[in-house]
Structures are given as C-alpha cells and as structure tokens.
Amino acid sequence: MNPFNDTADRYDEWFERNEKIFSSELKCIKQCAGDLGDAFEVGVGTGVFAKALKINKGIEPSIKMSEYALKKEIDVENISIEEYVPNNKYDTVLFCTVDCFIDNFSIAIGKAKNMLKSDGKIIVAFLDAGSELGKMYEENKDKDENYKYAKFHSYADMKNIVEENGMHIDNVKQTVFKLENVYQEPEDGHGKGLFCVIKIGGNK
C-alpha cells in the first residue's frame, strides 16, 4: 500500500495554503533549469509542479496522487521509475522532492540519463539534508506520516550520485530559508536553503 494514497488530498492542499513558498520553489526550479523544452517528470505527485511548469507527461506510483494529476490534465502513468520502460527521449527529466522516496536514486538518475536527448538535462529539486531546516526534517521525520520513510540527501550525496553516472552539475540554486509562508528569492549555491535545485548535464 502506497502511503501517499492516504495523504494525497493533504499534500495537494499544502500548496494552496503555502502558495508563497510554492512560488519560491517554482522560481528556483525555473532559474536553475532554464528552458525545459519537451519535459518529463518522475514522481508527478498531484501534478502541482508539472502543471505550473507546463510539463504534460510523467509517472507516479501512487494511484491517488495520479488521480489528482490526471484532473490537472497531466498524462501520467501509474508506475515507479524502477518499473518504467521509456519509449521516448526528452529535453528534460525532472525529479521534484521524490529522491528521498526512491530506494536507489543513483539507478534512477542512470535511467533518467538514458531518457534524455543527446543535449538533454536532468533537474533534481530536493530537500537538502545539509541545510539547517533539512537537519530539522531528518530529526523529526518519524512524526510525519510520509517523511518517516524518507532518505534525505545532501548536496554532497547528490554530487556523488551524479558523478557515479558520468555526469556533472552545471547549476545550483536554493530557497526556503524559513518555513514562513512568504516569498523567498532563490540564491546561488547550497547549504542555506531547505529546497535545493541542481541542473545535471553531460549526457553527450
């Protein structure tokens, strides 16, 4: 039983209640990624990021989350990255705060690399375990119905995973320096913001 089937409604509502944090995260992805082109999202969730970023195709293992995404007109297949057999090549593959729920994220990055066109890129937005808020999330994750299953990554973890797959990080941005629902301008680098975004290249 996927735990997100029971929390999909709360997950979707969070972004409505915290629209300024969401807009900060969205800006961070856009600034880091640039033009997404023909994009695919791994772990679409309820489709909030895909819809805002105009990504119309992806996968999501939670049936309930997939239902929300379908209502947002996202072409989503109810399957995990481990099971997915891609048939197409994309300009961009996006992972948005799903890395911590994938058993082996290095394998997932390797699969995403194979999904790219020759000059394509992978964008990973993750909750940075190396930030102060990330450390707080780690310490308190057992109290959360979803995050108690999470394996949070730091920037150093991500760099190692990227290099394991023969790729490199081209850009790094961060935001969410506090949990108040206020707009927080993205900054270069990592380690301060909970929400960190990396642009991965080197697929040629």
Side-chain angles (χ1 to χ4, degrees):
M1 184 70 173
N2 192 304
F4 287 98
N5 286 334
D6 296 328
T7 57
D9 51 351
R10 278 180 283 160
Y11 177 90
D12 206 56
E13 287 165 5
W14 186 92
F15 291 95
E16 293 180 15
R17 294 196 317 272
N18 295 277
E19 76 287 353
K20 291 184 174 65
I21 291 179
F22 176 49
S23 67
S24 307
E25 294 175 344
L26 205 55
K27 183 79 171 286
C28 195
I29 292 173
K30 289 177 177 178
Q31 285 187 358
C32 187
D35 182 20
L36 296 177
D38 182 16
F40 182 96
E41 184 174 3
V42 176
V44 168
T46 61
V48 285
F49 281 98
K51 183 179 179 182
L53 293 167
K54 297 182 170 60
I55 298 173
N56 58 21
K57 188 169 179 59
I59 55 174
E60 170 53 52
S62 163
I63 293 172
K64 191 69 174 176
M65 289 248 188
S66 299
E67 289 172 358
Y68 274 85
L70 287 166
K71 288 175 184 175
K72 295 182 178 75
E73 300 183 338
I74 313 298
D75 178 9
V76 58
E77 192 174 344
N78 184 220
I79 196 169
S80 69
I81 185 64
E82 290 89 350
E83 303 165 294
Y84 184 63
V85 180
N87 297 312
N88 300 303
K89 298 284 187 177
Y90 299 92
D91 297 309
T92 306
V93 175
L94 171 69
F95 294 85
C96 191
T97 63
V98 296
D99 61 286
C100 52
F101 300 109
I102 295 173
D103 288 339
N104 190 322
F105 194 57
S106 184
I107 290 175
I109 288 292
K111 184 165 279 194
K113 180 181 179 180
N114 293 333
M115 292 167 63
L116 295 177
K117 295 175 183 176
S118 62
D119 57 349
K121 58 183 177 283
I122 299 170
I123 303 299
V124 182
F126 63 102
L127 302 182
D128 184 2
S131 68
E132 286 305 310
L133 285 175
K135 291 170 186 173
M136 185 187 82
Y137 268 53
E138 178 64 39
E139 288 169 8
N140 293 284
K141 70 179 185 180
D142 287 344
K143 301 172 187 173
D144 186 277
E145 203 53 42
N146 292 324
Y147 283 132
K148 66 182 179 183
Y149 303 105
K151 180 189 174 185
F152 296 115
H153 295 98
S154 66
Y155 175 81
D157 295 330
M158 286 295 179
K159 189 171 184 291
N160 288 337
I161 288 169
V162 169
E163 290 174 354
E164 280 172 9
N165 285 281
M167 302 183 82
H168 49 78
I169 296 174
D170 290 334
N171 199 7
V172 189
K173 294 279 186 180
Q174 59 186 330
T175 188
V176 188
F177 309 102
K178 52 188 175 182
L179 297 180
E180 278 180 67
N181 183 31
V182 294
Y183 176 73
Q184 299 167 58
E185 184 66 28
E187 297 180 7
D188 292 336
H190 60 89
K192 286 170 58 184
L194 171 64
F195 190 85
C196 185
V197 184
I198 56 175
K199 177 182 175 183
I200 304 168
N203 189 47
K204 291 181 181 178

